[in-house]
Amino acid sequence: MAQLDQSAQRDGSKEVVAVLEAVIGRTGYGWGVRELAEELNASRSTVNRILSRLVEERLVSRDVSGAYIIGPRLKVLSAALQEGHPLFVEGTRILARLSRASGATALMAVETGNPEQCFVLASVEPDAPVRYTLPPGTNLPTHAGALGLAILTRRGTAGLPEELKKYTEASMDSRTRIENALQSYSTVGAVVSIGQHIPDAAGIGVPFTVNDRLFGSLSLSRPRNEFKESDIEAGAALLSQAARELESLTERAGSRNKGQVLPEAESSALIQRITAIITAFCSEPMAELSLQDLSGLWGTRSVATRRLAESAREVGLMTTLDNGAWTAGPTLLRWSASLGSGHDLPQLVDEDLRGLSGQTGETTTLALYDTDTEVAHIGRTIAGARNVRYVLEEGEKIPLTAGAAGKAILAHLPEHLSARIGKEAGVSEQELELIRSQGWAATDSERVPDAHGIAAPFFVNGIIRGSVTVTVPNHRVAGTPPTELTSAVVSTAHRLSRLLTVKSARLPADHEGKPGELESEPDAVFAAAQ
């Protein structure tokens, strides 16, 4: 981890990104403030202030011991970037094809912004007892190994020091040797590395370019003892075709990302502005933003906008294109590669559910709705703290036409669907309209005897994805549920919607929730919601 440069003039972006880098880089356990301050060579007060703000944005969380760990919002954004960026979507598909055709590990790398480093964005391993393994997010040198050297054939050696680190006996230890090697590779149409980074590995690599400025590479790598020089020509041809296909796919994806709706920073604080730009590019990974777009996003004037943009570029959050537009930078891609996708939705919202259960003392339930099967089920249950409580089994299917959890979902399905399902079960449109208008559903003993259910819907990118429910024994609720109880449920549901939504969609106020007012694209990035 690079230490913070205390002598450099900063606006704080470097410090914020350094803290996020440290948290992302330490999976499995968290950081204490003192330990992280020492790691970054920064003051404890600065690190503590940044961590506190990042917790507010939910980019960082605290575990049961109080240590700072990756927050649920960062996982949501990472998943969205992987679901939307062609390097992840199309690139992984291409790598799978390359691995099947060659029997080797197929890898994709992208530059980091540091001339000496690149990172693994994605990899697909063959079904073989011995295989070359490099997990996504792994940093690699550009001067040693096929992935890095292939990038240098496209971007050049500018910025490399004259003397380079030797990783193995086969590593090239000077920029001059690298330049001579790159000239010889041009006759092959690919770079070949045998034991230059890892002694027992060999690989072939070719470069590709995204958006004129972002350089990457594809490689086929295998154990050194399985490498045959006779395979170089065929491997180079296979990789070159795949690189051209990937460039074409990314170019087409970029042309479709025009006129996107940008989320505005919720305040003028730096971390909120950083959060806004991260969200914008995770929402539309191939977006190209002008300085005017960025001014609207951040609420800044032209001079301040350019200063913030250049600072974001310096830390790799953004990249400038030849046409003057700004797009997602390599740091965002590297974070997403490290964090992965397909995060379990119940785990992402567990903190919110526990908070509601603690606030009300009642059993709290998360219901998840599958738009493909039109079925809802219990995704998570947090038992209440009171002596009489109800525990609903996780994984159990629930009806949409009986009980508060199901009806809160039913009321917000597309009109033709809710009308059909409701009519078949005798649920009146008046009841569903009441649920939509007040923002919550309440039922008495419809599914659980002698119990009230109070539920509110939550949405992902404007699409109904489930509901949050508290189940209360009848002796604690007489007639209409108290306002403080319904407000707590609705507030939690809205908190889930804000956490899980990436695409720009106007979230409902506490008294709203009509589906026609929430317009966005569906987005299936959570494993438990599919």
Side-chain angles (χ1 to χ4, degrees), residues 28-73:
Y29 59 106
W31 291 93
V33 173
R34 177 182 297 179
E35 180 188 19
L36 183 54
E38 291 176 354
E39 174 73 13
L40 301 178
N41 192 26
S43 70
R44 269 185 269 172
S45 61
T46 296
V47 171
N48 185 61
R49 184 183 71 254
I50 292 172
L51 286 169
S52 297
R53 295 287 181 86
L54 290 173
V55 168
E56 291 175 6
E57 295 297 314
R58 311 199 71 179
L59 300 178
V60 169
S61 290
R62 305 192 72 174
D63 64 17
V64 292
S65 69
Y68 291 92
I69 59 175
I70 298 166
R73 182 63 176 170

Side-chain angles (χ1 to χ4, degrees), residues 12-173:
S13 296
K14 287 184 180 179
E15 295 170 319
V16 174
V17 169
V19 169
L20 285 170
E21 290 272 16
V23 173
I24 292 170
R26 176 177 277 192
T27 56
Y29 59 106
W31 291 93
V33 173
R34 177 182 297 179
E35 180 188 19
L36 183 54
E38 291 176 354
E39 174 73 13
L40 301 178
N41 192 26
S43 70
R44 269 185 269 172
S45 61
T46 296
V47 171
N48 185 61
R49 184 183 71 254
I50 292 172
L51 286 169
S52 297
R53 295 287 181 86
L54 290 173
V55 168
E56 291 175 6
E57 295 297 314
R58 311 199 71 179
L59 300 178
V60 169
S61 290
R62 305 192 72 174
D63 64 17
V64 292
S65 69
Y68 291 92
I69 59 175
I70 298 166
R73 182 63 176 170
L74 201 53
K75 294 178 181 178
V76 169
L77 293 172
S78 166
L81 183 58
Q82 291 213 19
E83 289 290 333
H85 201 293
L87 286 183
F88 287 106
V89 179
E90 303 294 346
T92 301
R93 178 182 60 79
I94 290 172
L95 291 181
R97 190 181 69 214
L98 287 171
S99 183
R100 286 194 303 269
S102 65
T105 297
L107 297 128
M108 181 191 309
V110 172
E111 62 179 344
T112 64
N114 177 350
E116 298 180 63
Q117 279 192 333
C118 60
F119 70 93
V120 177
L121 186 135
S123 72
V124 175
E125 299 176 9
D127 185 13
V130 180
R131 62 188 75 172
Y132 181 74
T133 299
L134 279 175
T138 302
N139 283 325
L140 299 172
T142 52
H143 73 278
L147 285 167
L149 288 169
I151 289 174
L152 291 183
T153 65
R154 186 65 58 91
R155 71 167 298 278
T157 59
L160 289 181
E162 180 54 42
E163 296 184 2
L164 300 167
K165 177 180 177 179
K166 284 182 68 70
Y167 290 88
T168 69
E169 288 300 317
S171 296
M172 292 178 281
D173 56 2

Side-chain angles (χ1 to χ4, degrees), residues 455-514:
F458 71 89
F459 304 84
V460 176
N461 298 329
I463 307 298
I464 184 70
R465 283 294 183 263
S467 62
V468 178
T469 307
V470 294
T471 305
V472 189
N474 281 347
H475 70 268
R476 290 205 287 269
V477 175
T480 304
T483 301
E484 60 268 22
L485 188 57
T486 58
S487 295
V489 175
V490 170
S491 177
T492 299
H494 288 177
R495 185 172 168 84
L496 265 56
S497 295
R498 288 191 293 272
L499 170 66
L500 301 173
T501 289
V502 177
K503 300 285 185 179
S504 296
R506 188 179 68 80
L507 296 174
D510 287 351
H511 62 284
E512 294 180 319
K514 296 183 180 181

Side-chain angles (χ1 to χ4, degrees), residues 221-479:
S221 300
R222 61 179 79 242
R224 184 172 181 170
N225 66 312
E226 297 178 6
F227 183 79
K228 300 176 183 178
E229 288 193 15
S230 58
D231 295 334
I232 292 176
E233 184 176 351
L238 196 65
L239 286 167
S240 296
Q241 181 182 0
R244 289 193 297 270
E245 179 184 355
L246 186 59
E247 288 178 334
S248 175
L249 289 168
T250 56
E251 183 178 357
R252 273 185 276 167
S255 67
R256 291 195 299 266
N257 279 264
K258 303 297 183 181
Q260 64 276 3
V261 179
L262 297 177
E264 294 183 2
E266 295 185 0
S267 81
S268 60
L270 175 65
I271 287 179
Q272 277 73 26
R273 286 172 171 165
I274 290 176
T275 300
I277 199 62
I278 293 173
T279 302
F281 284 123
C282 287
S283 170
E284 298 289 352
M286 298 298 289
E288 297 181 10
L289 306 183
S290 66
L291 284 175
Q292 185 176 357
D293 292 329
L294 293 173
S295 291
L297 177 69
W298 289 327
T300 50
R301 297 183 182 275
S302 58
V303 174
T305 299
R306 182 171 291 279
R307 186 183 70 248
L308 283 168
E310 290 173 351
S311 179
R313 178 178 59 193
E314 188 175 349
V315 295
L317 295 180
M318 293 198 298
T319 299
T320 46
L321 305 179
D322 290 341
N323 63 7
W326 300 75
T327 190
T331 295
L332 292 182
L333 297 174
R334 180 163 48 83
W335 287 352
S336 184
S338 298
L339 293 173
S341 63
H343 303 290
D344 185 62
L345 192 151
Q347 290 184 353
L348 292 174
V349 303
D350 192 70
E351 180 183 342
D352 301 278
L353 300 178
R354 291 188 180 279
L356 178 60
S357 183
Q359 181 181 356
T360 62
E362 308 292 355
T363 295
T364 298
T365 303
L366 176 76
L368 299 175
Y369 176 71
D370 189 316
T371 56
D372 293 329
T373 63
E374 299 179 6
V375 171
H377 70 276
I378 302 298
R380 187 80 167 96
T381 295
I382 308 294
R386 298 178 185 267
N387 292 332
V388 178
R389 59 193 183 187
Y390 299 93
V391 179
L392 304 176
E393 293 296 327
E394 294 179 7
E396 176 187 350
K397 292 182 180 179
I398 62 171
L400 298 176
T401 55
K407 287 184 174 179
I409 296 170
L410 177 62
H412 293 88
L413 293 179
E415 186 176 351
H416 71 281
L417 187 58
S418 63
R420 174 176 62 79
I421 295 174
K423 184 177 181 180
E424 291 174 354
V427 179
S428 70
E429 176 56 33
Q430 288 79 5
E431 181 179 2
L432 296 179
E433 178 57 35
L434 176 62
I435 294 171
R436 287 190 287 266
S437 63
Q438 65 188 10
W440 50 271
T443 58
D444 182 358
S445 305
E446 287 193 4
R447 287 194 62 244
V448 181
D450 301 317
H452 261 72
I454 299 96
F458 71 89
F459 304 84
V460 176
N461 298 329
I463 307 298
I464 184 70
R465 283 294 183 263
S467 62
V468 178
T469 307
V470 294
T471 305
V472 189
N474 281 347
H475 70 268
R476 290 205 287 269
V477 175

